[in-house]
């Protein structure tokens, strides 16, 4: 059975899922963002197999989301750091956090609070229009073909 090539689709959602669409990748990004950079730390914290972690880290490096940097020559050891592309994906994770905090946290409440550097307050992400700064939700927009859309014929 051949795997669907989401990265080849003319859809930004599909292309993003091609990079981080399986469950471990967003969790790896979360942990690297939070300061866990070394393989053993990531493996211990996530509780995933070494083989799967190595595969996911290699994929994220290939995709330009993480950078691999040697921190020990003997034995050879690497740490993983977010690239600009990876840091921007963390913005997407903040949107997922907002949804998860609202719909899945239950009575216990959110497991993590986020303090905004600019104001020092505990807050959450809100989507805003880049043109008018008004709140922007899925119900507030129309979908129009962009320059990367496939033509109909």
């Amino acid at each position: 059975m051949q795997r669907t090539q989401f990265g080849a689709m003319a859809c930004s959602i599909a292309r993003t899922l091609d990079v981080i669409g399986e469950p471990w990748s967003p969790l790896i990004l979360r942990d690297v963002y939070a300061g866990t950079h070394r393989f053993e730390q990531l493996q211990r914290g996530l509780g995933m197999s070494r083989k799967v972690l190595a595969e996911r880290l290699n994929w994220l490096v290939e995709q330009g989301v993480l950078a691999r940097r040697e921190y020990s020559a003997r034995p050879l050891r690497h740490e993983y750091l977010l690239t600009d592309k990876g840091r921007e994906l963390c913005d997407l994770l903040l949107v997922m956090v907002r949804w998860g905090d609202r719909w899945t946290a239950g009575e216990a409440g959110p497991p993590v609070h986020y303090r905004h550097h600019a104001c020092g307050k505990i807050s959450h992400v809100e989507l805003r229009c880049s043109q008018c700064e008004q709140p922007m939700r899925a119900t507030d927009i129309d979908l129009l073909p962009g320059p990367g859309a496939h033509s109909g014929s």
Side-chain angles (χ1 to χ4, degrees):
M1 178 178 257
Q2 188 174 359
R3 181 179 178 267
T4 300
Q5 297 298 315
F6 291 102
M9 291 181 179
C11 173
S12 294
I13 294 170
R15 290 174 182 161
T16 301
L17 288 173
D18 189 54
V19 176
I20 64 157
E22 55 73 48
W24 286 117
S25 292
L27 299 177
I28 292 168
L29 290 176
R30 174 203 65 190
D31 285 7
V32 172
Y33 168 78
T36 304
H37 301 284
R38 298 182 177 180
F39 186 94
E40 280 73 22
Q41 296 169 325
L42 288 163
Q43 195 271 328
R44 194 173 332 130
L46 291 166
M48 63 192 294
S49 78
R50 297 177 65 80
K51 178 183 182 285
V52 172
L53 178 58
E55 290 171 355
R56 297 318 308 154
L57 288 170
N58 286 336
W59 174 255
L60 293 169
V61 169
E62 288 172 19
Q63 297 303 306
V65 173
L66 294 177
R68 180 183 293 120
R69 183 172 70 188
E70 183 180 311
Y71 73 86
S72 173
R74 290 186 181 210
L76 182 60
R77 298 276 190 256
H78 295 96
E79 62 183 357
Y80 298 87
L81 305 166
L82 291 168
T83 62
D84 289 342
K85 191 174 180 179
R87 278 186 288 281
E88 194 162 327
L89 268 174
C90 289
D91 294 343
L92 172 64
L93 296 182
L94 289 174
V95 174
M96 292 173 68
V97 165
R98 172 72 170 140
W99 185 90
D101 286 352
R102 178 175 176 153
W103 297 104
T104 69
E107 290 184 27
V112 175
H113 286 292
Y114 297 84
R115 182 175 42 234
H116 187 223
H117 290 168
C119 69
K121 306 270 175 137
I122 302 296
S123 191
H124 58 267
V125 69
E126 290 286 339
L127 296 176
R128 301 227 172 256
C129 175
S130 64
Q131 300 297 311
C132 70
E133 296 294 319
Q134 291 296 310
M136 188 167 142
R137 299 176 125 8
T139 56
D140 299 327
I141 62 171
D142 295 318
L143 303 178
L144 307 171
H150 288 299
S151 64
S153 51

